[in-house]
Amino acid sequence: MRKMLTAAAAAVALSFVGSLAAQAQGVQISVTHWGSQLYGLPYAVAMEKGFFKEAGIEVSGVLTSKGGGTTVRNVFASDFPYGEVALPAAVAAAAEGFDLRIIHAGTVAHSNIWMTKLDSPIKTVNDIKGRRIGFTSPRSVSQTTMFMILDKLGLKRDEVTLVSTGAIGAGFTALESGGVDATLASEPQASMYAGKYRIAFAAADILPPVTQTVGVTTPEFLKKEPKKLAALIAGRAKAVEWSYANLEEAGKILSKAYGLDEKIAISAVRNMAATKFWGRGDMDVAPMNEMIKGLKLVDAIKGDPDWNKLIDRSLLPADLRS
């Protein structure tokens, strides 16, 4: 009998220790292009500065992918189904039958930049007629953005040759070999290549604001864990505010989280902050619709999303709900 009690006590103790370990470990979330593009800055800052913990949730790590539908699938497969994903991927997933909710906006300005050689005749976006311009892949955000730029300039599709180069790194290889006259970049790539190449034009200087990424979850998880999700949103929002007020320190945090050279990370943060890239989470439908217009240009979507169904503002801080 005593042995049985001892075994039972040991089991309870192990269960308790396991529970404490799980609490200490925290949750893992998904963020598109974590480690390679700057969508993840607020999460890096919130983890480093303790803003998530202060809001009521422990975040132990970030899962990532190359973006698109992969990030959305990661969210649905996770034990903690939350992630910041590309708005086009969220809309496409909803159209394919994934039942999801957009619970906050993420980045709210164009991140796409096109770089060219130092001696290139492309001085501004007005010089792209008759040139070969690189983008990543068909129906990508970069192709969408280029189509929007062409429309803005009043150029026909056949007046500029758009070249799919694949990954951003491959685009620079194509630029160096003469396969394209300008190629897609973003940050931190623009800061990495400063001096070797120069910026030809940036989408944020040409087009209206656009929602690039959004935070998503499932309706079931929203009902099950509203406090944890609200804490994530609040921690991220505080990190955005703090980052704009402390750009150099935010760059140092990004450097640590991404394994970037510190000077490059600080430059990248400063450059994206100038475009007001990161939003606190409030959801304005107008810049979301700008993205939808672009998606229609590349035949990536038909019809308009039902924002009333997809958007749930209930977890936003009170000042961001309107």
Side-chain angles (χ1 to χ4, degrees):
M1 181 70 168
R2 185 174 180 179
K3 289 183 178 179
M4 291 178 62
L5 288 173
T6 302
V12 170
L14 287 171
S15 176
F16 178 68
V17 170
S19 176
L20 288 178
Q23 291 177 30
Q25 185 181 13
V27 302
Q28 287 195 321
I29 60 176
S30 296
V31 178
T32 187
H33 292 290
W34 170 267
S36 62
Q37 296 188 33
L38 269 62
Y39 307 114
L41 174 70
Y43 300 92
V45 168
M47 287 188 287
E48 178 71 19
K49 301 297 291 184
F51 296 150
F52 284 138
K53 190 172 183 179
E54 180 184 301
I57 188 169
E58 187 75 39
V59 177
S60 61
V62 178
L63 301 171
T64 190
S65 75
K66 293 181 179 180
T70 303
T71 312
V72 176
R73 288 189 290 273
N74 286 348
V75 171
F76 274 81
S78 173
D79 292 333
F80 193 89
Y82 163 85
E84 184 163 323
V85 307
L87 177 59
V91 171
E96 292 172 7
F98 284 87
D99 195 8
L100 58 81
R101 295 294 181 270
I102 298 172
I103 56 175
H104 70 83
T107 50
V108 291
H110 290 277
S111 63
N112 289 164
I113 298 164
W114 275 264
M115 299 188 78
T116 189
K117 293 182 178 180
L118 297 178
D119 60 353
S120 169
I122 302 177
K123 305 300 182 184
T124 72
V125 71
N126 296 310
D127 300 323
I128 65 173
K129 184 176 180 180
R131 304 293 177 181
R132 293 160 297 176
I133 309 298
F135 69 96
T136 56
S137 58
R139 295 189 176 183
S140 63
V141 171
S142 58
Q143 186 193 40
T144 299
T145 303
M146 271 311 309
F147 277 20
M148 294 168 75
I149 289 173
L150 295 181
D151 275 14
K152 181 76 172 181
L153 297 177
L155 291 175
K156 296 178 181 178
R157 304 285 169 80
D158 60 1
E159 291 183 290
V160 175
T161 302
L162 297 184
V163 180
S164 175
T165 62
I168 288 178
F172 279 97
T173 300
L175 177 63
E176 192 61 37
S177 67
V180 295
D181 299 303
T183 193
L184 176 73
S186 184
E187 287 289 5
Q189 290 84 11
S191 293
M192 287 179 181
Y193 291 117
K196 183 174 183 180
Y197 305 104
R198 60 176 174 79
I199 295 175
F201 55 94
D205 296 332
I206 304 164
L207 300 173
V210 63
T211 302
Q212 278 203 285
T213 58
V214 290
V216 301
T217 189
T218 65
E220 295 78 15
F221 197 69
L222 193 153
K223 293 177 181 178
K224 179 183 178 183
E225 297 286 3
K227 290 183 179 179
K228 288 183 179 180
L229 290 170
L232 271 173
I233 295 171
R236 182 191 175 282
K238 186 169 183 178
V240 169
E241 289 181 351
W242 184 91
S243 295
Y244 281 127
N246 301 274
L247 295 179
E248 184 169 339
E249 191 173 347
K252 291 179 180 179
I253 291 173
L254 183 75
S255 169
K256 179 181 176 181
Y258 278 24
L260 281 173
D261 176 86
E262 193 171 276
K263 289 184 179 179
I264 288 173
I266 292 171
S267 171
V269 169
R270 289 188 183 280
N271 289 340
M272 295 313 294
T275 71
K276 296 298 180 184
F277 183 58
W278 304 279
R280 291 179 60 218
D282 47 314
M283 287 181 276
D284 184 352
V285 173
M288 296 174 82
N289 281 332
E290 286 297 323
M291 179 61 80
I292 299 306
K293 290 178 186 177
L295 294 174
K296 289 179 178 178
L297 290 175
V298 295
D299 298 321
I301 187 174
K302 295 180 180 178
D304 295 314
D306 184 352
W307 295 130
N308 290 328
K309 179 182 179 182
L310 286 177
I311 292 175
D312 189 311
R313 294 183 172 88
S314 65
L315 303 184
L316 290 173
D319 63 323
L320 300 181
R321 290 181 192 172
S322 61

